[in-house]
Amino acid sequence: MTSDPVIRLDNVHKFYPVGRRRLHVLKGVSLRIERGSYIAIMGPSGSGKSTLLFIIGTLDTPSGGKLRLDGTDPFSLAEPQLAEFRNRHIGFVFQDHYLLPQLTVLENTLIPAMADGSPSREVVDRATELLSRVGLAERLDHRPAELSGGERQRAGVARALLLKPALVLADEPTGNLDRKSAAAIGELLVQMQREEQAMLLVVTHSLDLAQRFERRYEIDDGRLKVI
């Protein structure tokens, strides 16, 4: 594992207009994430932790400061190139699984590969293998409504890893789960990160989940600090 930072945030700020004022959500956040690292960012609702994750995931733009992902400034790319960059380099696991109800588990897992047309046999085989590794080998042809909450989130993890992204971002991935399912998903995220050697960044208010990670931070008054 290289010690060179693959993600660099330098003095990142984020403002939102609120009437005639500006709400200063992120205040000079700097962060380095090395390949193979897995870190958790904690903070209460409204603290800015999800805003930070969306900026790192290129779903939102910073008001100031810089982000570089594997040497690239993603915000310098035109929108079509940015969308392709995001799809190839970043996988997402959300609190709500966002599985399409009309598709099977396997079809949902293949969605990231469909931007380039029909998935190849190699990609279908990888999706099948990932679903087996997350415990859904017997659920490939089931639809989301036939799965438990924990199983849906497992499918979301498999989907996030399909294209072998350098970075996986998880936004409150256990927030909608019961305690047993939440513990299982937390263990699965760390296990799959180690096996895939992707960078994993989770934002959460759950101390139980955060304690599984090698590095932990907290957003406090818009600033990032080690805990």
Side-chain angles (χ1 to χ4, degrees):
M1 182 177 69
T2 178
S3 60
D4 295 334
V6 179
I7 296 176
R8 291 178 58 112
L9 285 91
D10 291 305
N11 198 32
V12 167
H13 291 259
K14 183 65 181 181
F15 300 96
Y16 290 106
V18 180
R20 296 181 179 179
R21 301 183 300 108
R22 292 194 308 174
L23 180 63
H24 200 173
V25 177
L26 298 177
K27 302 176 181 178
V29 172
S30 296
L31 179 66
R32 307 288 186 269
I33 305 177
E34 294 79 25
R35 198 178 309 277
S37 295
Y38 52 109
I39 73 174
I41 297 177
M42 298 190 67
S45 297
S47 63
K49 61 185 186 301
S50 291
T51 298
L52 178 58
L53 180 139
F54 291 156
I55 288 173
I56 294 172
T58 74
L59 297 173
D60 198 358
T61 56
S63 304
K66 295 182 179 180
L67 165 69
R68 297 191 74 83
L69 204 167
D70 216 4
T72 298
D73 174 2
F75 300 116
S76 69
L77 303 174
E79 185 54 43
Q81 287 74 41
L82 176 58
E84 181 180 358
F85 178 88
R86 183 189 304 124
N87 191 49
R88 286 291 173 187
H89 294 278
I90 307 172
F92 294 92
V93 181
F94 296 103
Q95 180 172 344
D96 296 311
H97 50 79
Y98 294 120
L99 300 179
L100 297 180
Q102 70 273 27
L103 300 183
T104 66
V105 169
L106 179 58
E107 290 166 341
N108 266 289
T109 304
L110 288 167
I111 284 175
M114 292 181 180
D116 296 329
S118 298
S120 66
R121 169 49 55 187
E122 181 182 359
V123 172
V124 174
D125 288 346
R126 174 162 170 81
T128 303
E129 179 218 359
L130 284 168
L131 288 168
S132 177
R133 286 163 60 190
V134 302
L136 294 177
E138 306 301 319
R139 298 290 209 176
L140 301 186
D141 296 324
H142 289 239
R143 286 179 167 73
E146 301 174 285
L147 306 181
S148 68
E151 287 174 328
R152 292 171 193 159
Q153 201 61 301
R154 287 173 179 271
V157 171
R159 179 183 58 193
L161 292 169
L162 179 67
L163 298 182
K164 301 181 180 179
L167 171 65
V168 175
L169 300 175
D171 186 18
E172 297 283 8
T174 62
N176 287 340
L177 303 177
D178 61 71
R179 188 164 186 169
K180 181 178 179 181
S181 297
I185 289 296
E187 182 177 345
L188 176 66
L189 280 168
V190 173
Q191 173 191 335
M192 296 297 282
Q193 180 274 334
R194 288 172 176 165
E195 292 175 0
E196 295 286 321
Q197 278 297 291
M199 293 173 286
L200 172 63
L201 188 155
V202 170
V203 299
T204 183
H205 64 269
S206 168
L207 182 59
D208 286 344
L209 177 59
Q211 286 176 335
R212 297 177 180 273
F213 287 73
E214 62 179 358
R215 290 162 58 192
R216 294 180 292 278
Y217 297 84
E218 182 180 23
I219 293 277
D220 183 25
D221 191 30
R223 295 179 172 86
L224 192 67
K225 65 179 184 180
V226 177
I227 57 173

